[in-house]
Amino acid sequence: MLGGGLAFAPSAFARTKRRDANSWALFADTHIAADVNQQVRETNMAANLKTVVDEVLQLPRRPAGAFVVGDCAWSKGDAGDYATLAGLVDPLRSGGIPIQLALGNHDNRENFWQALESGHKATRPLADHHVALVESSRVNWFMLDSLETTLQTPGNLGEEQLDWLRKTLDKHSRKPAVLLIHHNPGAKENIAGLKDTERLLEIIRPRRQVKAWFFGHTHHWSVTQDVSGIHLINLPPVAYIFKEGDPAGWIQASAVTNGMKLEFRCLNTGHKAHGQEVELDWRKG
Ligand SMILES: [Zn+2]
């Protein structure tokens, strides 16, 4: 390399970093307000997002991409929230790390599309929902849109979106598939989560390529499995926690041959969850 890294501006230097095609940065519940000084529960959300973006950029190897798994915006998805969010994640984009944003119950789809996705209308897989398939060498990411009504807590995918998921999974049956949905699996008695959880499970349980479902929404970190062996990962919030003592932060996910390694990066590096590693083994099939 000519003259070493110091000769380069930070963003140009980031682009020269080696890329890890199997590593991903997973964020959820960023809750960015238009005003970067806005605080909720003694947490400055913009400062938290800036911290985690900087951490991703400082990794020795650049991840292949980043996701925000819903509740991108503070409360009701104002246009100004998305303008501020766009500025905060721009260092990732200019550092060569593509970022995909999913919608949650504190987002507004029209404002989001206008602020962040203008010009992409023709290429949207679905006209009414914000979904994406991100393919990589070891895993296919299916990002879904569970925003039903802004500011109403439960979520829903709906038949049209489930149909898209079914068809797209069937076209991509040979590689492990991982879902990203803002809402958590909702049992009948728990209507705060995803209302059509049972319909979703009917589709994904028999499609053995589906290995994991990552979600946010509860602002509480946990890793479990459903009866069919699908891993259920509740991502921590980048913003505020609901329960004192819970960790906030992000997850670095590394796809391996038959699974995924997760590393928790806490915002409070003194928290016992900081650096915690979880190995997910993919179910057979
Ligand atoms: Zn949230």
Side-chain angles (χ1 to χ4, degrees):
M1 195 199 290
L2 291 170
L6 291 176
F8 295 83
S11 64
F13 180 58
R15 279 195 289 273
T16 66
K17 275 191 182 179
R18 283 192 51 172
R19 184 184 172 92
D20 183 344
N22 297 304
S23 160
W24 306 83
L26 306 180
F27 305 152
D29 295 280
T30 51
H31 288 283
I32 295 304
D35 177 2
V36 294
N37 295 312
Q38 180 78 49
Q39 294 201 16
V40 174
R41 295 172 187 255
E42 298 171 7
T43 302
N44 179 315
M45 297 83 82
N48 278 18
L49 181 55
K50 186 179 182 313
T51 298
V52 301
V53 163
D54 286 347
E55 282 180 18
V56 171
L57 290 169
Q58 282 160 20
L59 291 172
R61 297 178 75 195
R62 199 179 73 190
F67 294 96
V68 177
V69 188
D71 280 2
C72 298
W74 169 38
S75 175
K76 53 185 170 56
D78 290 336
D81 302 347
Y82 296 116
T84 299
L85 173 67
L88 289 166
V89 299
D90 189 60
L92 292 176
R93 295 183 200 250
S94 54
I97 302 168
I99 181 163
Q100 292 277 352
L101 307 167
L103 297 176
N105 47 301
H106 287 286
D107 289 302
N108 176 296
R109 195 174 291 110
E110 286 306 320
N111 288 345
F112 170 84
W113 272 340
Q114 257 188 0
L116 290 156
E117 300 285 329
S118 58
H120 296 173
K121 198 171 178 179
T123 58
R124 273 181 213 147
L126 283 173
D128 299 334
H129 285 92
H130 186 64
V131 300
L133 165 63
V134 176
E135 297 181 64
S136 71
S137 63
R138 290 190 183 143
V139 67
N140 288 329
W141 298 92
F142 289 77
M143 190 186 81
L144 303 181
D145 175 353
S146 59
L147 165 60
E148 185 181 36
T149 307
T150 302
L151 281 178
Q152 289 192 11
T153 305
N156 201 58
L157 296 171
E159 283 306 311
E160 190 194 17
Q161 186 171 189
L162 288 168
D163 201 46
W164 174 82
L165 176 66
R166 183 191 303 111
K167 287 177 181 155
T168 312
L169 281 170
D170 287 346
K171 272 189 233 157
H172 298 83
S173 60
R174 302 179 83 103
K175 196 175 283 182
V178 172
L179 310 186
L180 300 162
I181 304 173
H182 177 68
H183 284 80
N184 54 307
K188 283 195 183 69
E189 65 276 13
N190 171 19
I191 54 153
L194 187 73
K195 292 200 291 191
D196 47 3
T197 294
E198 285 305 318
R199 293 282 298 116
L200 174 67
L201 290 173
E202 280 169 23
I203 292 167
I204 63 176
R205 277 181 175 149
R207 286 171 173 79
R208 303 290 299 181
Q209 75 270 33
V210 179
K211 310 299 188 188
W213 168 2
F214 287 84
F215 50 94
H217 191 50
T218 71
H219 295 216
H220 174 77
W221 160 245
S222 76
V223 183
T224 57
Q225 252 175 311
D226 93 320
V227 290
S228 74
I230 295 173
H231 295 279
L232 303 171
I233 303 100
N234 199 161
L235 295 168
V238 172
Y240 39 88
I241 49 169
F242 291 148
K243 192 168 151 252
E244 201 182 340
D246 267 2
W250 62 285
I251 299 295
Q252 187 179 7
S254 302
V256 295
T257 309
N258 288 309
M260 193 170 268
K261 289 184 180 166
L262 309 180
E263 184 183 339
F264 197 135
R265 310 282 304 233
C266 289
L267 278 149
N268 170 8
T269 55
H271 195 287
K272 65 179 189 309
H274 183 61
Q276 182 190 346
E277 293 183 350
V278 177
E279 293 197 10
L280 307 176
D281 288 323
W282 293 156
R283 64 180 183 155
K284 299 275 183 292

